[in-house]
Amino acid sequence: MIYPPDPQPPGRLSLAYDILRLPRVARPLRLVLFFVVGLLLLPYGLTVLYSVVNPVSTVMLWRSLTGQRVEHQYVPLERISPALPLAVLVAEDGRFCSHHGVDFTEINNAIEGAEGLDDLRGGSTITQQLAKNLFLWPGRSFIRKGLEFPLALWIDLVLSKRRVLEIYLNIAEWGPDGEFGAEAGARRVFGRPAEGLGRYQAALLAAMLPNPVTRDAKKPGPGLRRLAGLYDARAARSPEVAICVKPAR
């Protein structure tokens, strides 16, 4: 009796299918394949979990594992002065409420003005920064950007804008010695909780991003003060930038 050959998947998967059927390499390759796929899919599952669980960033985890200082206290958005979300949005992502995790207009502008990857500045949304801080690593590379883009789109799909910004404000690095989140940053710089920040104080904290080591609001130089004044003025002119993170009534 003649049996028909085993069916093979069409297209580009056929070569991988043939390799995995080889007896000597099938099991190791399958294990590697399952591990890689699981590692790539893990952030997508964790994003769903983070809709109800408060996360920490990869930098915070690394500092904890290596014995470095971490100062962090998670606070809900309603316990953060409204001045800070607005200041951060006008500083980092003015179209946060209108894009879907990735601002292709800003990306196009950044690409047109850059001569290479090292010259790329801007174009990274709050959601992209959150994807990087939660699941990826610092630094610039096409690999990281390639992983960051779909993660940002997924985060925007799964989490509300208010939740995205709340998590971002709670895991952003806001000090030169392991201070993470708005609460730790506000207490270090101004000696008060995040809910007690005034407009200019919020603008100073926003001006520290994305480099709180060289931009220290506790000892602000002329450049940092000028930047904070610019963000404060923008926030006063454009309160609608934060319309999507207002509490529901």
Side-chain angles (χ1 to χ4, degrees):
M1 182 174 181
I2 300 176
Y3 295 94
D6 294 340
Q8 295 187 8
R12 285 176 282 182
L13 292 178
S14 60
L15 178 59
Y17 181 82
D18 289 338
I19 293 174
L20 291 179
R21 290 185 64 196
L22 296 176
R24 293 184 178 180
V25 298
R27 185 174 179 82
L29 278 180
R30 283 173 182 164
L31 289 176
V32 171
L33 181 62
F34 290 153
F35 176 77
V36 171
V37 171
L39 197 62
L40 291 175
L41 292 180
L42 180 61
Y44 293 88
L46 288 175
T47 299
V48 178
L49 182 65
Y50 291 160
S51 63
V52 293
V53 174
N54 298 331
V56 295
S57 70
T58 53
V59 177
M60 292 164 64
L61 286 173
W62 176 251
R63 288 183 67 94
S64 296
L65 290 173
T66 54
Q68 300 179 72
R69 181 176 181 269
V70 173
E71 180 70 25
H72 177 248
Q73 180 183 347
Y74 196 102
V75 293
L77 198 57
E78 55 265 24
R79 285 178 50 199
I80 297 177
S81 167
L84 185 59
L86 179 57
V88 168
L89 289 181
V90 300
E92 296 287 301
D93 191 355
R95 282 192 281 267
F96 176 76
C97 289
S98 59
H99 64 65
H100 297 288
V102 176
D103 190 338
F104 292 101
T105 300
E106 285 297 318
I107 290 173
N108 185 60
N109 292 339
I111 291 174
E112 288 180 352
E115 296 180 359
L117 184 64
D118 291 337
D119 295 325
L120 280 175
R121 297 293 185 272
S124 184
T125 66
I126 291 287
T127 317
Q128 287 175 256
Q129 294 177 50
L130 182 62
K132 178 194 71 175
N133 292 340
L134 283 179
F135 305 120
L136 304 173
W137 60 91
R140 295 176 180 275
S141 71
F142 287 113
I143 295 176
R144 200 209 74 196
K145 279 292 182 184
L147 296 172
E148 180 184 292
F149 273 40
L151 271 173
L153 296 171
W154 175 250
I155 288 171
D156 187 82
L157 178 66
V158 172
L159 304 181
S160 68
K161 292 287 188 180
R162 185 175 173 85
R163 181 63 173 166
V164 168
L165 189 59
E166 177 182 293
I167 296 176
Y168 176 81
L169 293 176
N170 274 283
I171 68 170
E173 194 170 1
W174 248 309
D177 190 25
E179 293 87 5
F180 292 88
E183 187 73 9
R187 290 186 181 277
R188 173 189 170 272
V189 175
F190 304 112
R192 63 175 62 187
E195 62 183 344
L197 293 172
R199 271 180 40 188
Y200 185 71
Q201 292 171 330
L204 271 173
L205 285 183
M208 291 179 66
L209 303 172
N211 195 339
V213 176
T214 59
R215 299 179 180 182
D216 191 353
K218 195 170 185 178
K219 298 176 290 185
L224 193 64
R225 291 183 182 275
R226 181 188 61 80
L227 202 56
L230 176 64
Y231 294 156
D232 187 25
R234 285 183 185 174
R237 291 195 307 265
S238 307
E240 72 281 357
V241 169
I243 190 66
C244 62
V245 298
K246 299 290 184 182
R249 296 186 178 183

